[in-house]
Amino acid sequence: SDGSIRLHQMTSEYPLMQWNDSTNGQPIIALQWALTRPAVFFVLDASSNIYIWDLLENDLLPVAKQTIPSENVVTMALLGEPEKTNGLLGIALAKESGQIDIQYVKEKWALP
C-alpha cells in the first residue's frame, strides 16, 4: 500500500532486497515477472504508471517508467512464450471502462 517492494527467497522470512517508496508512495496494484527474461519485472501503481525493473541493469531503481494517460488502469497481465526466444513480450492493461489495451515491450527488456 505504500509503494514498497520486497524480493524474497523461499527459504527465508527476510527479504533479499527491499525498495521503499518505489512508486513515490502510490499503492502497487500489480507486479509481475517478465515471462521471457528472468531479471525483469513490471509494476503497476494506483496512478496508472508502469515501472520496468531490470535487476541486471540497475538493482536500485526502475530502468523505465511509462504513464498510461486518460484512464485508470485497474490491472495488468504479461503475455509471452518463455520457451521462444523471439523477444515478444506484451502487457495487457485492463482499464476502468472495461477496455483492454495491449502494448508490446521493447526487445531489450524481453529477450532472454
Side-chain angles (χ1 to χ4, degrees):
S1 64
D2 64 358
S4 295
I5 299 171
R6 291 175 196 87
L7 176 65
H8 284 267
Q9 184 175 356
M10 296 297 288
T11 57
S12 174
E13 65 181 283
Y14 301 104
L16 295 173
M17 295 283 295
Q18 181 168 328
W19 301 276
N20 294 320
D21 200 32
S22 65
T23 58
N24 296 319
Q26 288 295 315
I28 294 172
I29 303 298
L31 186 149
Q32 191 170 354
W33 286 99
L35 301 171
T36 57
R37 188 176 174 102
V40 174
F41 64 91
F42 297 79
V43 175
L44 170 67
D45 75 11
S47 293
S48 298
N49 296 305
I50 296 174
Y51 301 84
I52 301 172
W53 290 76
D54 184 344
L55 299 179
L56 296 178
E57 186 176 327
N58 187 341
D59 64 358
L60 298 176
L61 299 167
V63 294
K65 175 185 171 184
Q66 177 69 47
T67 301
I68 308 300
S70 73
E71 192 177 344
N72 283 342
V73 177
V74 294
T75 194
M76 72 171 181
L78 295 179
L79 313 167
E81 298 177 89
E83 63 278 356
K84 293 191 178 178
T85 59
N86 59 9
L88 285 178
L89 180 65
I91 303 177
L93 304 169
K95 297 184 176 181
E96 208 167 45
S97 67
Q99 181 183 8
I100 303 293
D101 186 16
I102 297 177
Q103 298 187 7
Y104 287 98
V105 175
K106 289 182 179 181
E107 277 190 355
K108 70 178 182 176
W109 296 311
L111 286 173

